[in-house]
Amino acid sequence: VNQARVKLLEDKVLDISHVEKLADSDKYTRELLAIISANYHKKINLYEVSSQMGVSSSWLNGKLKAVTGYTFNSYLKMKN
């Protein structure tokens, strides 16, 4: 049971690392992931983050999905 949990955590870390490498190619995605990393332990939402960044929430969510394969909410869940 513990080995399965360790494997799951290792896969999660590798996946997050891969996503962050992909995001380096796009400034908006890079900024979004930096904001998420700094604030994921708080209650944050896409609307507030996109307003802070000066772009629409749907555009930013689409950009994140196009670059990383994850939506804002799915990436937040992965970070937790």
Side-chain angles (χ1 to χ4, degrees):
V1 175
N2 286 337
Q3 287 179 332
R5 181 159 172 77
V6 167
K7 175 72 173 136
L8 183 62
L9 290 173
E10 287 174 348
D11 289 347
K12 186 176 176 181
V13 168
L14 290 173
D15 202 27
I16 290 171
S17 176
H18 176 70
V19 167
E20 289 171 350
K21 285 179 185 173
L22 288 173
D24 280 344
S25 66
D26 178 74
K27 75 174 193 166
Y28 290 102
T29 306
R30 187 173 49 247
E31 183 179 351
L32 175 58
L33 294 185
I35 291 169
I36 291 171
S37 291
N39 297 289
Y40 76 93
H41 59 283
K42 302 174 189 175
K43 186 174 182 178
I44 61 173
N45 66 60
L46 181 60
Y47 179 76
E48 290 173 356
V49 174
S50 64
S51 293
Q52 176 184 342
M53 293 176 63
V55 296
S56 78
S57 57
S58 60
W59 182 85
L60 188 58
N61 201 39
K63 179 62 111 170
L64 179 65
K65 175 100 173 151
V67 172
T68 68
Y70 291 95
T71 63
F72 180 83
N73 288 331
S74 62
Y75 186 76
L76 275 181
K77 288 177 187 175
M78 185 174 60
K79 286 288 284 185
N80 289 327

